[in-house]
Amino acid sequence: MNSLSAINIDEKLKMITLALLTIFCVFIEIILHFFLGISTGYTHFFYILLVLAAIWYQRKAVILAFFLAVTHFSIGFFVLDEPLWAPFLRSAMFVLVTLLVGIMAEGLKKAEAAVCTKANEWEMTFNATSDGICLLDQDQKIQRCNRSMGDILKGIPVTDIIGKPCWTIVHNTPGPIAECPFVAAKKTLIRQTIDILEGKKWFEVTVDPILDSSGAFTGAVHIMRDITDRKAMDESLRQSHQLLQTILDTIPVRVFWKDLDLKFLGCNRPFAQDAGLNDPEELIGKDDYAMGWRDQAEKYRADDRSVIASRTAKVMIEEPQKTPDGRIIWLLTSKVPLRDAKGEISGVLGTYMDITEFHNAKEAIRESEEKYRAFFVTSKDCVFITSEDGEFVDFNDEAPAFFGYLDREELRKVNARELYLNESERKTHIREIKRLGFVKDYALDLRKKDGSIIHTLITSIARKDFSGNFIGFQGTIKDITEQRRAEEKLKETNERYLSYIKEAAMRLRTPVRQVRQNITLLIEDINAGNIDQTQVLLELQIQVKNMEQIRQNILDLNKTIINGYGELPAASKKFLTE
Amino acid sequence: MRNKNIELTGKIVAEGYDVIVVTTNQPYDILRKNYEKNGIQLDRIYFVDTVTKNALGRDPLPSKNCRFINNPSNLTDTGIAITQMLQVLEGKKVCLLFDSVSSMLIYLSSQNIIKFIHFITNKLRLLNFSGIFLIVENGLDPDALAQLTTFVDVVVDVEKNP
């Protein structure tokens, strides 16, 4: 890989080399120094051995240096009896140089190891990343690439990729594609990124230009990242957002949101339309003062501020609003504080729903309820609601007195069955209600608490549950006892009048006829001489008596009629009865 | 009405009946004279006269076969007189002739008359006697007439069935 590594190829060879060189150095020491008496010059050969040893074995080579130094010093000092300083100096140089070179070699080896480690780490990282990375030269040919690139390119071996133009490998085209980021990066000298679809997969391609020291373009790093899942997520997110927007724009609820300055950040389409805007985008940045409801702006803003300050939602608040065309509509409003990612209040989200129709209907129902309640409470008839088995659900204030009970509590304990004279009448009544759905002026005699009978007319309507099952009935009971008495009295009166008339007819018409007939017969008898004077007088007296009685009958009838049915002035009364 | 009285009385007497004539219209004197004139045996006729005493204002001369009542409205005395006569005649063929219900209306209410007639008819039935009650046609209310017809065996229109 490098020079040092090359030298260290074979450990055995190194040992042999060092051994031979050592033998050689000892040999020339013996020959040249011991036998020939040459003490200098040849020791330079020793440095070949020592440097190699220091390179290969670093500071361990000092041992060899000591051996040669001792050998050289010993031969010179003890055998040749040379001056001490020269061999000592050379021997010291052996050790010193070997030590220095050993130290340097050691440093180089460490550096080499570090570089190797880094290189390995980089290589591993290069291959481990899931992004496809390749280095392109300025002609767009692939110089290097990681394993992921091969995987991305449908398992093409890396060795088949190297040296080929990227477009043939990536796009399988005869030249760069129109939107090729490499071309753009080469032109602009800045990073270029595009998303491309290859088959069914989406890739984010980033090209970073590589510039030399002069700033010239020499190639580029080409990174392909599989973003199919992200694209799918983006699409899902987009669809989700679109769905949410569709929902927001479709629901009858108006939605808006504001920042802490109470300026609108957004809204749905119905809200924009309520505001007289064509598009929700037109609302952004405006506040309530700029809207058609500026008259109520301060109130709305106060609500918003209250929600923001209290950090508490206000929900289901009914409030009026003036529309751009001046109408008053009723809204059901809810406001909740908006929070950012850190949980801090960032604004307010509001929703409202136009409940004008509901509000008006509710008002109408309330008014109707009040009227009904007023009728229910104040009616002098008995108004009631009862279950099928006779339990009172409710009744008006008149009901207890109607049936002779002290108060509502006392009547509430009574079952309606007890108020009927008998069970069969009650069953018949209920059967009619079930059959017709209602009964009107149903004549029924009911029993009061004290047992007395009240004649009533009941108008009632069936009560049904959501399934249409009969659960009881409600209605009004009218006491017609007095009316019935009056009718009976009138009937009796009429009958008596008829009786009087008939009696009068009999007791006046017949007797008068009788008297007239008797007088006629009397005249006939007188004319025929069949009757004497005494008898004539007797007959006349009888007829006079009859007439007096008839007159008395008339007076008696008058008295009866006047005493029973008429108020007359005293004088008239006297005239008719005396 | 008077002629029918005479005619019926004559026929009844001819049939062998003793007749009790209760008159509320014709006085005893005039009735008796008319019966005599028509040849009806007076010894078989008994009278209860309710008009003579009322008209005279005093008691008339007593008569063997006539009882005078002070007023037609005095049903008590009339009833007693009839009852006594019926008792006297018990065992004989007796027919009571009531002349007339119509003229009693001058002095009595129809209800009282009906009650009285009911009383008399019961008496007659108990004694197994006969009776004829004269009423002027249309002289009574149909309802009252209907009541009366329940007391008798038969209603005869003497104008149509002479």
Side-chain angles (χ1 to χ4, degrees):
Chain A
M1 187 170 288
N2 54 41
S3 56
L4 290 173
S5 299
I7 292 170
N8 292 326
I9 289 172
D10 191 343
E11 195 64 27
K12 195 180 284 182
L13 184 60
K14 286 193 288 185
M15 292 298 288
I16 292 169
T17 303
L18 289 178
L20 290 174
L21 285 172
T22 303
I23 293 167
F24 173 71
C25 288
V26 171
F27 176 75
I28 63 173
E29 178 68 33
I30 292 169
I31 297 299
L32 293 179
H33 196 190
F34 184 72
F35 288 107
L36 297 178
I38 301 168
S39 58
T40 59
Y42 69 91
T43 56
H44 297 305
F45 290 105
F46 286 19
Y47 287 106
I48 295 170
L49 170 63
L50 294 174
V51 167
L52 278 175
I55 289 170
W56 285 343
Y57 297 104
Q58 294 85 43
R59 276 185 280 188
K60 293 176 185 172
V62 172
I63 299 168
L64 186 59
F66 267 113
F67 170 73
L68 289 179
V70 168
T71 304
H72 180 69
F73 183 77
S74 300
I75 292 174
F77 183 74
F78 296 107
V79 177
L80 299 177
D81 195 20
E82 288 182 342
L84 182 61
W85 60 271
F88 179 77
L89 188 61
R90 281 191 290 274
S91 296
M93 282 300 290
F94 293 159
V95 174
L96 184 61
V97 168
T98 302
L99 182 62
L100 289 173
V101 173
I103 289 169
M104 287 174 62
E106 220 171 55
L108 284 171
K109 192 169 184 180
K110 284 182 180 176
E112 182 188 6
V115 168
C116 285
T117 302
K118 292 294 179 187
N120 286 335
E121 287 176 357
W122 186 87
E123 190 72 23
M124 287 172 67
T125 304
F126 187 63
N127 285 322
T129 182
S130 60
D131 294 342
I133 302 172
C134 59
L135 295 175
L136 304 176
D137 64 11
Q138 58 184 347
D139 297 326
Q140 221 165 324
K141 288 181 180 173
I142 298 171
Q143 299 301 306
R144 283 192 70 190
C145 74
N146 65 352
R147 279 199 295 268
S148 295
M149 194 67 184
D151 295 339
I152 288 171
L153 298 173
K154 302 163 190 172
I156 300 174
V158 173
T159 50
D160 293 350
I161 296 172
I162 303 298
K164 292 180 179 172
C166 64
W167 61 78
T168 60
I169 299 300
V170 178
H171 308 296
N172 196 24
T173 54
I177 60 174
E179 62 273 20
C180 179
F182 182 91
V183 175
K186 188 176 182 179
K187 190 175 179 181
T188 60
L189 300 181
I190 58 173
R191 172 185 283 192
Q192 299 292 327
T193 302
I194 63 164
D195 294 345
I196 61 171
L197 177 65
E198 285 297 327
K200 292 181 179 179
K201 289 194 170 186
W202 276 94
F203 295 98
E204 180 190 71
V205 179
T206 301
V207 176
D208 273 309
I210 301 172
L211 307 178
D212 63 12
S213 56
S214 63
F217 182 84
T218 60
V221 178
H222 182 284
I223 302 173
M224 289 182 74
R225 177 171 293 168
D226 187 346
I227 57 168
T228 305
D229 290 344
R230 197 187 80 190
K231 276 283 183 186
M233 286 174 64
D234 286 349
E235 179 61 15
S236 176
L237 188 64
R238 189 190 64 78
Q239 288 180 356
S240 175
H241 183 266
Q242 192 173 20
L243 178 62
L244 177 64
Q245 192 62 45
T246 303
I247 291 170
L248 281 174
D249 290 347
T250 307
I251 57 173
V253 178
R254 278 64 173 164
V255 184
F256 62 89
W257 49 100
K258 299 175 180 175
D259 61 16
L260 289 174
D261 295 329
L262 304 183
K263 290 187 183 300
F264 286 101
L265 294 173
C267 69
N268 66 345
R269 193 165 293 281
F271 182 91
Q273 288 169 348
D274 279 359
L277 304 174
N278 294 322
D279 192 281
E281 294 291 324
E282 296 175 30
L283 183 78
I284 296 173
K286 293 180 179 175
D287 59 20
D288 288 299
Y289 294 117
M291 311 311 294
W293 53 83
R294 59 182 64 82
D295 292 347
Q296 293 104 31
E298 198 48 52
K299 178 181 181 306
Y300 297 148
R301 289 168 65 87
D303 279 346
D304 296 341
R305 281 192 287 267
S306 169
V307 170
I308 291 169
S310 67
R311 298 168 172 258
T312 306
K314 283 185 176 180
V315 293
M316 310 295 273
I317 302 164
E318 271 191 52
E319 54 189 3
Q321 188 190 69
K322 190 176 182 181
T323 61
D325 59 5
R327 287 183 303 115
I328 296 295
I329 59 174
W330 280 88
L331 309 176
L332 186 65
T333 306
S334 295
K335 289 180 179 174
V336 296
L338 273 179
R339 295 176 186 273
D340 59 17
K342 296 176 183 174
E344 295 296 323
I345 302 295
S346 62
V348 61
L349 170 72
T351 66
Y352 70 83
M353 187 163 57
D354 185 349
I355 56 164
T356 306
E357 286 186 15
F358 172 74
H359 179 85
N360 292 342
K362 195 173 72 172
E363 280 296 304
I365 290 170
R366 188 183 60 76
E367 287 176 11
S368 173
E369 177 76 14
E370 281 180 4
K371 288 177 187 172
Y372 166 75
R373 197 69 207 167
F375 160 74
F376 190 83
V377 171
T378 61
S379 174
K380 291 302 174 189
D381 292 334
C382 170
V383 186
F384 68 94
I385 304 172
T386 179
S387 65
E388 185 177 9
D389 59 3
E391 291 289 329
F392 276 117
V393 177
D394 199 1
F395 46 75
N396 67 340
D397 294 342
E398 185 65 19
F402 189 91
F403 288 108
Y405 288 88
L406 289 175
D407 51 30
R408 296 177 66 87
E409 287 309 308
E410 190 180 15
L411 180 59
R412 196 173 287 283
K413 294 172 186 170
V414 176
N415 191 293
R417 293 168 184 267
E418 300 169 28
L419 303 175
Y420 288 80
L421 294 188
N422 57 61
E423 182 66 14
S424 65
E425 286 190 353
R426 179 177 173 276
K427 285 181 178 175
T428 305
H429 181 208
I430 292 177
R431 189 166 58 243
E432 283 298 290
I433 296 172
K434 283 182 176 177
R435 187 173 67 85
L436 301 171
F438 72 98
V439 291
K440 187 170 186 294
D441 291 341
Y442 187 87
L444 202 59
D445 290 346
L446 298 176
R447 182 186 289 112
K448 295 178 76 169
K449 181 187 175 186
D450 61 7
S452 60
I453 306 300
I454 43 177
H455 304 295
T456 67
L457 289 178
I458 302 179
T459 296
S460 47
I461 186 167
R463 294 174 60 233
K464 295 180 178 178
D465 61 14
F466 289 115
S467 304
N469 298 319
F470 181 82
I471 58 170
F473 56 97
Q474 62 189 58
T476 60
I477 309 175
K478 188 175 183 181
D479 184 353
I480 58 164
T481 305
E482 290 302 320
Q483 182 184 335
R484 182 75 66 83
R485 283 178 187 157
E487 286 174 357
E488 287 173 356
K489 189 175 179 182
L490 181 63
K491 186 180 176 186
E492 183 186 338
T493 302
N494 288 339
E495 286 176 353
R496 285 172 67 186
Y497 265 120
L498 286 173
S499 175
Y500 286 138
I501 291 167
K502 286 195 284 188
E503 194 72 13
M506 283 190 294
R507 297 192 62 188
L508 297 178
R509 187 179 66 182
T510 305
V512 167
R513 189 188 299 170
Q514 187 76 53
V515 169
R516 188 177 64 215
Q517 192 178 43
N518 288 340
I519 291 172
T520 303
L521 288 171
L522 178 62
I523 293 168
E524 286 176 1
D525 286 341
I526 293 170
N527 290 337
N530 293 334
I531 191 167
D532 59 28
Q533 195 172 12
T534 306
Q535 291 171 332
V536 169
L537 288 173
L538 177 61
E539 186 68 32
L540 285 175
Q541 279 181 309
I542 290 169
Q543 300 317 315
V544 170
K545 280 285 181 185
N546 286 344
M547 291 305 293
E548 284 178 353
Q549 187 60 46
I550 290 169
R551 175 181 170 276
Q552 188 59 48
N553 291 345
I554 292 170
L555 295 178
D556 288 345
L557 283 170
N558 286 349
K559 278 181 188 174
T560 305
I561 293 170
I562 290 167
N563 290 338
Y565 309 104
E567 287 298 327
L568 283 173
S572 298
K573 203 170 184 178
K574 187 177 180 183
F575 171 74
L576 291 170
T577 58
E578 291 182 2
Chain B
M1 181 68 76
R2 187 177 68 178
N3 293 335
K4 286 298 171 188
N5 180 338
I6 295 166
E7 183 184 337
L8 285 169
T9 304
K11 284 183 178 178
I12 294 166
V13 170
E15 291 287 329
Y17 282 86
D18 287 339
V19 181
I20 299 171
V21 178
V22 180
T23 174
T24 60
N25 189 32
Q26 300 288 321
Y28 163 71
D29 273 353
I30 294 174
L31 271 178
R32 181 175 52 80
K33 189 173 183 180
N34 285 330
Y35 288 160
E36 285 175 344
K37 187 179 176 182
N38 286 280
I40 300 170
Q41 293 178 347
L42 286 173
D43 57 343
R44 300 188 66 178
I45 300 174
Y46 304 89
F47 295 90
V48 176
D49 181 351
T50 64
V51 293
T52 302
K53 194 173 179 178
N54 184 42
L56 294 174
R58 56 178 170 80
D59 287 337
L61 292 174
S63 174
K64 192 179 80 175
N65 59 347
C66 180
R67 294 281 296 274
F68 294 98
I69 307 300
N70 60 351
N71 193 298
S73 63
N74 190 347
L75 294 179
T76 305
D77 287 355
T78 306
I80 291 169
I82 293 171
T83 303
Q84 288 176 346
M85 283 186 177
L86 290 174
Q87 287 172 348
V88 169
L89 296 172
E90 193 170 359
K92 296 183 179 178
K93 286 177 68 177
V94 177
C95 181
L96 182 140
L97 179 66
F98 199 100
D99 180 18
S100 67
V101 175
S102 304
S103 58
M104 282 189 81
L105 282 169
I106 297 171
Y107 297 94
L108 292 163
S109 69
S110 59
Q111 287 303 311
N112 285 338
I113 294 169
I114 289 168
K115 286 176 188 173
F116 182 70
I117 299 297
H118 185 235
F119 166 75
I120 297 299
T121 52
N122 279 341
K123 280 282 180 191
L124 293 174
R125 286 186 194 281
L126 287 171
L127 295 169
N128 201 24
F129 290 161
S130 301
I132 296 170
F133 298 88
L134 294 177
I135 299 174
V136 177
E137 186 184 13
N138 299 326
L140 279 177
D141 168 60
D143 291 340
L145 187 60
Q147 275 187 285
L148 283 175
T149 55
T150 61
F151 306 149
V152 298
D153 297 326
V154 63
V155 177
V156 180
D157 187 342
V158 294
E159 296 295 332
K160 293 179 182 174
N161 301 286

